[in-house]
Amino acid sequence: TEVIKLKIYATIFIKSRCQINIIRNNSLNSSLFIFKTKFVGSHCWKLVVPLHLKITSLQSHQTRSDTVLRLSKVMFKNSCSIVSGGVFSVVQFNSSRCPHRNKNISVIIDESLFYNNTSELSGGAIYITNTGQVIIRRSKFLNNQAISGGAIYAENIITLVILDTILHSNTA
């Protein structure tokens, strides 16, 4: 089994964009860990949100690979996007024509702040689709705006857990 790991630690992104594309083959496991990092004043560029994780599965329905995205003590502030996800989006595409979707992406957000972010479509702070598990713990979503999902837009997710989290003054 092949494993890809990417860690971003104690970094500040000011008015910048970060796009991470993961193309998964049959037995590829990957993890992305962002810790004590700040994204401030980032804006959409060419339809890419400030932090965009695009996962394309090339495998058939008989194989399984896992992707784990973990954000811990991360701050997203004053960012905006003209597409879904004011600051953060996770989208999984399955390139096979198989009706079974590979929902083996885990997104874990812990002790993070999403403040004053805007999307002109869905998910003022985050936009997540076609994933297996999303866990949000001890985080704050304050003053985020979008047409739908003022703070969080989640669609086609197997498990969504929000624990000990503040959602305040978000509008849709």
Side-chain angles (χ1 to χ4, degrees), residues 11 17 33 36-37 43 48 51 58 62 66 87 91 97 104 119 121 125 132 134 151 159-160:
T11 304
R17 290 156 228 45
F33 181 61
K36 289 188 176 179
T37 296
H43 298 281
V48 176
L51 175 61
L58 300 178
Q62 290 131 354
D66 296 308
V87 295
V91 180
R97 302 218 182 264
N104 43 358
S119 168
L121 295 176
V134 177
T159 305
L160 173 62

Side-chain angles (χ1 to χ4, degrees), residues 71 76 84-89 109 114 122-128 134 136 141 149-154:
L71 304 175
F76 295 94
S84 294
V87 295
F88 173 72
S89 70
I109 300 170
F114 297 82
S122 302
I126 61 175
Y127 175 87
I128 302 177
V134 177
I136 302 171
F141 292 82
I152 302 166
Y153 182 89

